[in-house]
Amino acid sequence: MGSVVQTLLGGLLLALFPASLIAWITLLKRRITSGRLSALLPYRPRPLPHWSPLTFLVLMGLFLVAGPLVRLAFASVGLVDWPESGASSSSAAPQRSAELMIGATVFLVSCLLTGAYIYVMAPKRFGVVGLRPTWSGVRLGLIASVLVLPPLMILMAAVSWLVPYEHEVLDVMEKQLSLSSFLKLFFVTAILTPIVEEFSVRVVLQGSLQGLADAGKVRPWHDDGQAESNNAAAESSPATPTVTDTPSSDAGIASAESVSNAPEPTDPTPTNPVQWVYQPIPGRPEPPPPPADAGGFRPADWPIVVTSLFFALLHFGQGLAPVPLFFLSLALGYLYRQTGNITASIVVHMVLNSLTMIVTFVTLMTEA
């Protein structure tokens, strides 16, 4: 039975490679035909993030504080034991499995408290964070998985051939091979971990860096709610930016709420105008007017690169896994930056971790 499941799973994975190739060819063909080679995914106009990189330090501080408290809670109900003085770091598989659950729980508590902190800073602009799950984001995440994961698997196989891949979850699975143990590890690794990692790395860190990088730029602003009133102005002077007095003004907050869930931007039409807004920075001269078309704005790329380097370093000690994970993070960061929503990035992350867990479990069960 195990060999049959392994064969079916292997066939499914092999089918992903031609599907990925066809998807890439189709995507590039559409871009060449439309002449829009500047972006594989259209940028969705929205307000800039209102949190700063200091928020990421808040998250790290909460992680350090929550660690002992969560461990105390687990120990009080008998799920883990307090480490004895001079005890070895290696322990039995059940204890190590509980340690993984503790780490994920600490991370989750820290993310929830950080999310509350971001909300308290600006309650009416919390929609800019992009946490609301959407079916379009799920669909985009599944499509992106077909595009991204097969090339990533090839790269991971290459680096694993040079240096064997190591991960504590895989070690626990080898020493505690049972369906109940697998389900617990699957929940932690394939469901909980992608959510907390994408929130902390993509939203808190990359979002704050993107706010710094794009501050002071003239950006496209899409608002269907003012289509009729702004139509004449959009046709008469499409290259004139709309300047706001302050990024936190009431008008900006109202626009933040309406734009956070707006559909993807399109070219200006009588029913779908694209405006331009500018959030001024004290002491910095006002930039020149933007071009007449809505394609003149390009968000900065370096926040994605910096965040991806940090994401790779988080997985240090897992062989050469940080190399393919850096490129994975580039794709996940691009999805979040272009859409302003975390759903697609979480879906891709979940699919990757799920495939890794299932393939490892089936392989171990077959060998056993």
Side-chain angles (χ1 to χ4, degrees), residues 12 18 25 30 57 114 140 160 222 238 255 265 286 305-306 330 361 366:
L12 175 62
I25 293 175
R30 289 179 179 178
L57 298 180
T114 304
L140 177 61
S160 297
H222 178 79
S255 299
E286 185 173 327
V305 177
V306 172
L330 291 178
F361 179 72
T366 304

Side-chain angles (χ1 to χ4, degrees), residues 34-114:
S34 62
R36 299 171 60 184
L37 292 175
S38 58
L40 294 175
L41 185 66
Y43 176 81
R44 178 171 297 174
R46 58 189 180 275
L48 289 177
H50 57 273
W51 58 96
S52 70
L54 293 177
T55 307
F56 186 74
L57 298 180
V58 172
L59 172 62
M60 294 295 99
L62 291 172
F63 182 83
L64 296 176
V65 173
L69 298 178
V70 173
R71 173 174 288 278
L72 177 61
F74 272 68
S76 64
V77 295
L79 294 178
V80 296
D81 299 325
W82 282 100
E84 298 179 359
S85 178
S88 174
S89 59
S90 59
S91 56
Q95 179 74 9
R96 296 177 65 186
S97 178
E99 293 288 343
L100 293 173
M101 179 66 74
I102 288 178
T105 304
V106 172
F107 221 155
L108 177 61
V109 171
S110 304
C111 290
L112 291 175
L113 294 176
T114 304

